Amino acid sequence: SYVLSQPPSVSVAPGQTARITCGGNNIGSKTVHWYQQKPGQAPVLVVYDDSDRPSGIPERFSGSNSGNTATLTITRVEGGDEADYCCQVWDSTSGQYVFGTGTKVTVL
Amino acid sequence: QVQLQESGPGLVKPSDTLSLTCAVSDYSISSTNWWGWIRQPPGKGLEWIGYIYYSGNTYYNPSLKSRVTMSVDTSKNQFSLKLSSVTAVDTAVYFCARRATTSSCFDDWGQGTLVTVSA
């Protein structure tokens, strides 16, 4: 089945930029979505269709997708951005929705 | 803003059937959305279980298909999950979620409910 790989952790200082990668075979040909999940809470969609933002999500969150890597970028990082971030695609070959392994973002 | 709320037993015995219901409010379950179940074992990542359309059409994760049954009750605006022959590996937080109308993302989620499989 299709595998999405993410770094386990990313650390970033407040005000700086965090980049979270999601690797998959030719992921650029798929549509990628990103979720933020804080401890004990449900995931929240922060980027969909590679680079679109749901209403209410700050412009600081952006996404890109090309080749074998999709990237979620968080600019001007704040303490409230500390959370786990997970990517997701629909894999038509295996007939299932696939989630990434997740990345814990720590704000220093 | 749609609200989703999971309910069901928090403890299930091995080999029994796990049963959960997701009540949907402030939105019609008969709209053009698929309604899904996703789970997350403690400390691990998310796993899609499957989803159902208001018509009753279903689509399951191939790895769980033999044990999963989903149903929908439009009169109560809710949908349900049954997972049979559970073992300890089925211990997880179970979320219900709405798949977006025009995208393959899940745009609204319930708060999740922990189901522990133990004797």
Side-chain angles (χ1 to χ4, degrees):
Chain A
S1 62
Y2 194 74
V3 175
L4 295 174
S5 299
Q6 298 182 236
S9 62
V10 167
S11 297
V12 59
Q16 298 304 303
T17 297
R19 293 179 178 86
I20 304 152
T21 58
C22 175
N25 185 32
N26 197 25
I27 195 174
S29 66
K30 301 182 184 301
T31 302
V32 180
H33 318 292
W34 290 92
Y35 301 88
Q36 175 194 70
Q37 187 177 24
K38 296 182 178 180
Q41 298 184 19
V44 173
L45 183 67
V46 294
V47 167
Y48 68 99
D49 293 354
D50 294 341
S51 58
D52 290 336
R53 274 186 316 278
S55 60
I57 300 300
E59 292 183 5
R60 302 184 297 104
F61 289 82
S62 63
S64 63
N65 183 21
S66 179
N68 293 316
T69 304
T71 303
L72 173 69
T73 301
I74 311 172
T75 58
R76 301 184 302 281
V77 166
E78 305 172 354
D81 299 331
E82 191 163 279
D84 290 328
Y85 291 84
C86 177
C87 54
Q88 176 243 311
V89 302
W90 160 252
D91 178 43
S92 57
T93 301
S94 62
Q96 61 182 294
Y97 292 85
V98 179
F99 290 90
T101 50
T103 297
K104 179 176 178 59
V105 170
T106 299
V107 181
L108 300 171
Chain B
Q1 177 75 5
V2 61
Q3 306 284 336
L4 298 97
Q5 179 67 58
E6 305 89 349
S7 62
L11 180 64
V12 180
K13 289 182 169 53
S15 79
D16 282 356
T17 296
L18 177 159
S19 297
L20 296 173
T21 296
C22 181
V24 180
S25 53
D26 300 323
Y27 192 87
S28 172
I29 202 169
S30 300
S31 300
T32 55
N33 296 92
W34 289 80
W35 301 92
W37 290 97
I38 295 155
R39 69 181 183 178
Q40 185 173 37
K44 296 187 177 181
L46 298 163
E47 179 182 32
W48 174 71
I49 300 170
Y51 56 14
I52 187 167
Y53 201 62
Y54 75 92
S55 60
N57 288 353
T58 55
Y59 202 26
Y60 301 145
N61 185 325
S63 68
L64 296 169
K65 186 176 181 179
S66 63
R67 298 194 292 131
V68 172
T69 303
M70 294 183 185
S71 59
V72 62
D73 187 337
T74 55
S75 67
K76 295 182 178 179
N77 217 46
Q78 65 186 34
F79 60 104
S80 299
L81 166 71
K82 290 187 185 298
L83 181 66
S84 64
S85 305
V86 297
T87 68
V89 299
D90 295 310
T91 293
V93 175
Y94 286 75
F95 297 98
C96 57
R98 182 184 71 176
R99 205 208 78 165
T101 304
T102 58
S103 171
S104 58
C105 65
F106 293 91
D107 58 358
D108 277 288
W109 297 61
Q111 65 183 22
T113 187
L114 174 63
V115 178
T116 301
V117 179
S118 175

